[in-house]
Amino acid sequence: MAAADGLISYAQVAVCGAVLPAFLGLGLVRALGLSHAHGRRTTWAHAYLVGQLAMAAVTFGWLMLGRLLPGPPLPGWLLPLGAAAGGAWLLRRAARRDRRARQPEHASLWIWPPLAIAIALLAEACSRTNAEPIHSGDESAIWAAKAKVLFAAPPGTMHDGLHFLVAHPDYPLFNPLVQALAFASTGRILHWENRLPIQLFGVALLLLLSASATRRAHPLLAGLSLLAFTGTAFGHVALLAWADIMLACATLACVDALLAARETGERVWWRLACCALAAMLASKNEGAMLAVVVLGVFAARWLADRRGAAATAAVRLRDAAWLLMPAGTFALHAGFNRAYGLGNDLLDPATGGGRGLFERIVHQFAAHAPEVGSYYAGYLIDAGRSRVLPILLVLTCAVAFARRGRRFFARPEALLLAVFAAATAGYMLVFIGTNAALTWHLATAADRTMLHVLPLAVLGICCAAWPLASGGERARDGAPGQRSEGMDRD
C-alpha cells in the first residue's frame, strides 16, 4: 500500500502513526479510569503515550510473527485500523461512566496563550526540520536504522542487520517500533515522515507539563515556566527522531501520576504511573536508572507516611500486579537483546579496559569528577542552556522549606527536588565512569540527558513558588489521599 511522496504520505503517517494510536490510547486511559473530569490536557497526553506504547507492542508482535511465518500475518495498514476499532469499542464502554462523572471546572484564561505559543513554535520548527530527510546523527544511525532493520530485514538476517547496520543496537525498542508502525502503515520504508510520531511526544510533554503545573500552581507562573522550558534543549531535541523526548514525556507522566495518587487517592493514577514506567524502560537505557530513582524516592516517602499506615489509598496490594507491566517490558527488552547477542557497551568490561561501569566510576573518580562537576556547574548557571531552572528549583524549595519546616518534605516540590537531584547525581556518576572520551561524551550527551528530568524542575518551581491552596493543604500540608481543588482545572 505504497503512497506518493510528499504531503499525501505525510498525512497518511499523521493519521495512521499518530492520530489512531492516540485514539486507541484515549480508549485505554478511559478504561483505566481517566475521565474528562481529570482534564483534557492530561487525558490527551496520557492517551498518546499509552496508545503508542500499546501499538508498539502490537507492532512488535506483528513483526515477530512475520519472522516465523512465510510473510506478515496481515497487511500492515490493518494495524492502525485495528487501533481505531479498539479505541471506539473502549470509548463506547466508557461513555456511560463518563456521563455520570462530574464535569471539569472552567480553566483560567492564563493557561492557553503560553501553551498555544509553545505548541505553535514547536510545530513550526518541526516543519522546517522535516524538510530534510533523516540522514545523519543518532536519529539515522541508531533509531531509524533499527526501525528499518526490524521492518525490512529479510528472514534470517535480523542478527547481521542489527550488528552491522545499527549503532548501539541494544537500545530499547519503543522508538524504532513507533517508526516501524509508520512504515507498516504506508507499506514502505520512509525517510522523513517517520519523524512525526516521535515529534508529537514533544506536544504530549507540553500538554502534560501545562496541565500538571496549572493543577498545582498559579497558571501565570505555570505559563511563564512552560515558555522558559521550551528555550532549553527541548527546542532542539524535540525536533528529531531521538528517544530522549519520549523518555522525558514518560518520566513526567510517571512522576505526575504518582503525585496525583498521593493527592487524590484515586487508583487510576497508580495504573497510569505503571504504564508510564513501562514507557520509560522501553524508551532508553537511561530509563532504568530513572525508574529506580523515581520508585526509590516515592517508596521512601510512602514509608515515611507513618511507616505506610497513612500511605495513599491508590497503592494497595492488589494493585501491585500493575508492576508486571514495567517488569514485563524490561524482560522483553533483555530477552530480545539476549536472543540477538546485543550488549550495552557502557556496561561491558571488554570495552572499558576490563572494568565494568561501577568499577570504572571508582577507578576514574579522581580523574573525571572535577571535569564532570565543572561541566554541570556551568550548565546550572548557563541561562542559554538550562534557563537556570535547576538553580531556581533549589532556591524556591529552600524558601518553601524555610516557610513550612518539616511539612515541606511531604510536599510535591520536595519529591520533585529529590527525584531531580538523584537523577542528576546518577548521570554525573555515569559520565565519571564513561569508557568514551570524557569531553566529547559530556558535550554530546549531558544537556540531552538533563532534558529527561528538566520538566520535573519546572513543575517543582511552580509548586514551591506559587502553589494553589487546596482543601488538602488547608487541612494538613502534603497529606496523601486528599483531593485537590485544582485537580480539574483544565
Side-chain angles (χ1 to χ4, degrees):
M1 188 178 175
D5 286 333
L7 294 179
I8 295 177
S9 179
Y10 199 47
Q12 190 173 3
V13 171
V15 173
C16 297
V19 174
L20 295 183
F23 186 68
L24 171 63
L26 183 61
L28 289 171
V29 298
R30 286 281 189 263
L32 293 177
L34 207 60
S35 69
H36 287 303
H38 294 101
R40 290 177 176 82
R41 288 169 297 163
T42 299
T43 299
W44 278 107
H46 280 284
Y48 193 76
L49 180 65
V50 172
Q52 288 288 10
L53 186 65
M55 285 307 298
V58 171
T59 304
F60 181 79
W62 179 76
L63 291 170
M64 293 302 104
L65 280 175
R67 302 288 163 189
L68 300 175
L69 302 175
L74 48 85
W77 54 267
L78 285 177
L79 299 181
L81 291 185
W89 181 74
L90 289 168
L91 287 172
R92 185 177 179 182
R93 290 193 61 185
R96 183 176 300 175
R97 184 189 69 235
D98 283 354
R99 282 196 296 269
R100 294 197 304 264
R102 59 192 176 83
Q103 294 300 310
E105 298 175 2
H106 293 294
S108 167
L109 292 178
W110 288 105
I111 291 173
W112 304 112
L115 179 60
I117 291 171
I119 292 178
L121 290 174
L122 177 62
E124 191 276 333
C126 286
S127 67
R128 284 188 284 106
T129 300
N130 292 345
E132 292 288 333
I134 298 174
H135 61 84
S136 63
D138 286 356
E139 63 171 352
S140 173
I142 299 176
W143 305 111
K146 189 166 185 177
K148 292 171 183 177
V149 170
L150 290 172
F151 177 74
T157 65
M158 176 79 80
H159 179 277
D160 291 343
L162 290 170
H163 279 270
F164 296 109
L165 299 178
V166 183
H168 302 292
D170 64 290
Y171 282 12
L173 292 161
F174 193 9
N175 179 301
L177 288 172
V178 169
Q179 295 190 49
L181 176 63
F183 299 162
S185 301
T186 58
R188 65 191 180 98
I189 293 289
L190 303 172
H191 300 290
W192 58 276
E193 302 96 322
N194 43 313
R195 276 199 193 101
L196 180 62
I198 308 299
Q199 291 169 334
L200 287 175
F201 279 92
V203 177
L205 172 58
L206 292 175
L207 288 172
L208 186 57
L209 183 55
S210 171
S212 183
T214 53
R215 185 190 307 148
R216 300 179 176 91
H218 194 282
L220 176 59
L221 176 60
L224 293 175
S225 300
L226 182 74
L227 291 176
F229 171 72
T230 61
T232 65
F234 172 85
H236 169 66
V237 174
L239 309 181
L240 304 174
W242 293 343
D244 297 278
I245 199 65
M246 303 171 73
L247 179 53
C249 180
T251 303
L252 176 62
C254 183
V255 171
D256 175 64
L258 289 173
L259 288 174
R262 283 180 49 80
E263 293 160 353
T264 70
E266 293 181 275
R267 295 167 66 189
V268 59
W269 296 113
W270 170 247
R271 299 164 185 168
L272 289 172
C274 289
C275 293
L277 196 64
M280 292 168 64
L281 295 169
S283 296
K284 292 199 73 180
N285 289 331
E286 294 95 319
M289 185 270 285
L290 292 177
V292 170
V293 168
V294 171
L295 290 180
V297 168
F298 278 87
R301 184 65 254 174
W302 186 82
L303 292 173
D305 292 331
R306 297 182 185 177
R307 296 189 179 274
T312 176
V315 184
R316 300 184 176 94
L317 287 178
R318 65 175 177 268
D319 291 322
W322 280 92
L323 289 171
L324 292 175
M325 177 177 286
T329 301
F330 183 82
L332 177 64
H333 176 218
F336 182 87
N337 283 352
R338 181 177 293 272
Y340 290 102
L342 307 175
N344 188 336
D345 58 355
L346 192 62
L347 302 176
D348 188 359
T351 63
R355 296 185 178 92
L357 175 61
F358 298 105
E359 291 179 285
R360 291 199 306 273
I361 290 174
V362 175
H363 180 73
Q364 299 174 177
F365 190 89
H368 285 182
E371 183 174 350
V372 172
S374 175
Y375 185 93
Y376 273 81
Y379 173 83
L380 294 178
I381 63 175
D382 189 340
R385 291 154 60 200
S386 69
R387 293 296 187 259
V388 297
L389 292 171
I391 293 293
L392 289 175
L393 174 64
V394 173
L395 293 177
T396 54
C397 284
V399 173
F401 173 72
R403 289 179 53 216
R404 300 178 185 272
R406 292 182 61 185
R407 293 177 301 165
F408 166 80
F409 295 106
R411 295 275 307 164
E413 57 265 31
L415 296 169
L416 291 162
L417 176 62
V419 172
F420 182 86
T424 302
Y427 281 131
M428 292 176 71
L429 288 174
V430 169
F431 283 113
I432 288 172
T434 184
N435 54 7
L438 179 58
T439 301
W440 171 87
H441 201 184
L442 286 168
T444 57
D447 288 13
R448 183 158 43 94
T449 53
M450 284 302 295
L451 179 65
H452 303 160
V453 290
L454 206 54
L456 305 183
V458 174
L459 182 56
I461 292 167
C462 294
C463 292
W466 201 346
L468 290 177
S470 70
E473 288 175 337
R474 286 192 293 267
R476 182 177 59 186
D477 261 343
Q482 300 288 337
R483 183 160 195 85
S484 169
E485 291 179 355
M487 182 62 67
D488 301 331
R489 297 191 177 185
D490 201 37

